[in-house]
Amino acid sequence: MAKIDWLILISYLVASLMLGLWLSRRNRDQADYFVAGRQLKGWLAGASMAATTFSVDTPLYVAGLVGVRGLAGNWEWWSFGVAHVAMAVVFAPLWRRSGVLTDAAFTELRYGGPTAAWLRGIKAFLFALPINCIGIGYAFLAMAKVSEALGLAPTPAARLQLLAIVGVLVLVYTAAGGLWAVVVTDMLQLVLALAGALAVAFYAVQAAGGMDALLASVRELNRPELLSLVPWQLEGGRFSWIEGAGISVPTFTAYIALQWWSFRRSDGGGEFIQRLLATRDERQARIASWVFLGVNYLLRSWPWILVALAAVVLLPESTDWEQSYPLLAVKLLPPVALGLVVVSLVAAFMSTVSTAVNWGASYLTHDLYQRFMRPEAKDRELLLVGQLASVVLVALGVLTALLSTNIGTVFRLVIAIGTGPGVVLVLRWFWWRINAAAELAAMLGGFLVGFSTSVVPFLRIDDYGVRLLVTTVLTAVLWILVMLATPPESAEVLERFVLQVRPAGPGWAGWRRRTGVEPQETLLDLVSQLVLSCAVLFGALLGIGGFLLKLPVWGWGGLVVAVLAVLGLQQRFRLQAGLRGISS
């Protein structure tokens, strides 16, 4: 890196620190510190959600997926788009109506008694420490890989020193500024991260001779999986599975039909829920979800994929495709442009870590310390505990990074240990019979089975799809048996939930009659909106990819599906508005 690039990086780090310290003046209590006083506008909350998932590890992860498995490997994360559409259409207004501070605290709104308290405490512990620290750890791992490839820190000692410096900066502005600092800096970080990704993609494609030359070079490699949006191809009128994709039939089936609803984020996900709870109202919560969908899937995917395809052509001898993204940046970008990309990667890293730290600290402070240790604690004490918890989480995240080597492997471990409870998390919104014992069994069962089948030698299941299926089935058997063996929640708890959240669906019909509450929308309305919205998202995603990669069938097919789905949504909204007008 040239001196100007170092100057850009240092200026950015100092600006982030000063902005976080300045925003710390907004924090008066827990609501300010952990949910920004519930004053976020939808576009800002959505941008923050997108920035959070745009970590330094994600372009490396995508480069590794494409380099090893081809385009279809992206279904490992594209499949979560269904859950994220459900978040926008179904769950965003429900979460905002709940009015809780964390999703762990929600358990004592939906359930009651000692079991609900145990569930809240265990969930807060698991999400704040082992699960969250693994996420922080692989962000630090990715940052270490990037710093090595960019020449920022060529030795292990230098990498540790760099991570310590950046980690301390993140810790200071996050601990001081709370969610306000996280969200506002997220907006800046998202702009920088997108600009950096576009810059690397532009220079990489140009180095490969332009788009047409790049695609021709990729085809000459005789690796059909590289330009196939699905892991099969049509040859001579017959479908054949692309072996080079390295994706088995069970694994791809698990991506599409299982992973997105069985994972613990099926109704939103902790840090996303935190942003939804921080919005001003239900409408802004929905806007936040749609902003996230557009940026995360439609805007970000393709620059990363173009860089990954260019890397296959320009770095044919590479043995670690995850490193190809920063290596191309160093090799191709001139000064200032390289500085921008370095800042974009550091910004992406800081966004993810700051969110994880603030989110984890909210569990440790609100759901463990205040709930079980010091219910009488005042705001000043709780803010101090939140800041101390932030220090602990950063330290544990660095330790986790030192024990890891491969980003993709860590990503799949995170999915595995979170698989199983997703269906319970969805059903608890729509069926009164789900109780705290069932959710507790699903959460612990999914964690233990997923961890065992991923790590324990004699229980390990190598096929990813089979592993998810086994985890989901065993967890389902466990939570169903536990639910049937334990009593339902009390009438008082269920009535309180219905009055607060106004859930839809036949599973609450009796309780709605009992309380005189009408749902905002019917279950049929929600399901139809979900299907049509998924068609919009995936039609647009595949259509953009089809046109970009000169695959006209995918391009026009995706465009037609997206446009028809938009027209269908408009028709549904007009019909619902007319029915509401008649009923009023």
Side-chain angles (χ1 to χ4, degrees), residues 94-115:
L94 293 174
W95 277 113
R96 187 59 188 85
R97 289 201 292 268
S98 74
V100 296
L101 195 69
T102 68
D103 56 330
F106 171 80
T107 59
E108 289 196 291
L109 171 65
R110 173 61 177 83
Y111 313 118
T115 307

Side-chain angles (χ1 to χ4, degrees), residues 26-46 96 100-101 179-180 183-184 274-282 284-285 288:
R26 290 175 174 262
N27 295 318
R28 298 176 300 275
D29 54 29
Q30 279 195 96
D32 288 325
Y33 194 77
F34 292 126
V35 289
R38 304 192 195 276
Q39 291 298 310
L40 294 185
K41 292 185 177 180
W43 66 267
L44 182 57
R96 187 59 188 85
V100 296
L101 195 69
L179 189 63
W180 273 115
V183 168
V184 175
Q274 185 187 37
R275 300 305 193 278
L276 299 177
L277 292 170
T279 55
R280 294 181 175 182
D281 52 40
E282 297 170 32
Q284 295 302 316

Side-chain angles (χ1 to χ4, degrees), residues 135-156:
I136 296 172
Y138 81 73
F140 272 99
L141 170 63
M143 190 64 213
K145 283 195 169 192
V146 168
S147 63
E148 180 182 5
L150 294 175
L152 297 175
T155 66

Side-chain angles (χ1 to χ4, degrees), residues 504-572:
W508 291 102
W511 295 97
R512 287 198 300 270
R513 287 194 297 269
R514 185 169 177 168
T515 56
V517 169
E518 290 297 325
Q520 297 288 99
E521 296 172 296
T522 68
L523 187 59
L524 179 60
D525 289 335
L526 294 176
V527 171
S528 63
Q529 288 178 38
L530 175 62
V531 172
L532 291 170
S533 297
C534 284
V536 173
L537 177 68
F538 288 106
L541 174 68
L542 297 177
I544 291 170
F547 287 123
L548 192 63
L549 301 176
K550 310 298 176 68
L551 303 171
V553 173
W554 283 103
W556 288 109
L559 177 62
V560 169
V561 168
V563 170
L564 290 177
V566 168
L567 294 175
L569 281 172
Q570 290 178 337
Q571 183 65 26
R572 292 292 307 177

Side-chain angles (χ1 to χ4, degrees), residues 51-73:
T52 293
T53 56
F54 195 157
S55 178
V56 69
D57 62 276
T58 40
L60 277 68
Y61 161 70
V62 171
L65 277 181
V66 175
V68 175
R69 299 181 176 183
L71 278 180

Side-chain angles (χ1 to χ4, degrees), residues 291-310:
V291 169
F292 164 73
L293 284 170
V295 175
N296 188 60
Y297 292 97
L298 305 184
L299 193 57
R300 295 190 325 179
S301 293
W302 298 108
W304 293 342
I305 289 172
L306 290 179
V307 174
L309 292 174

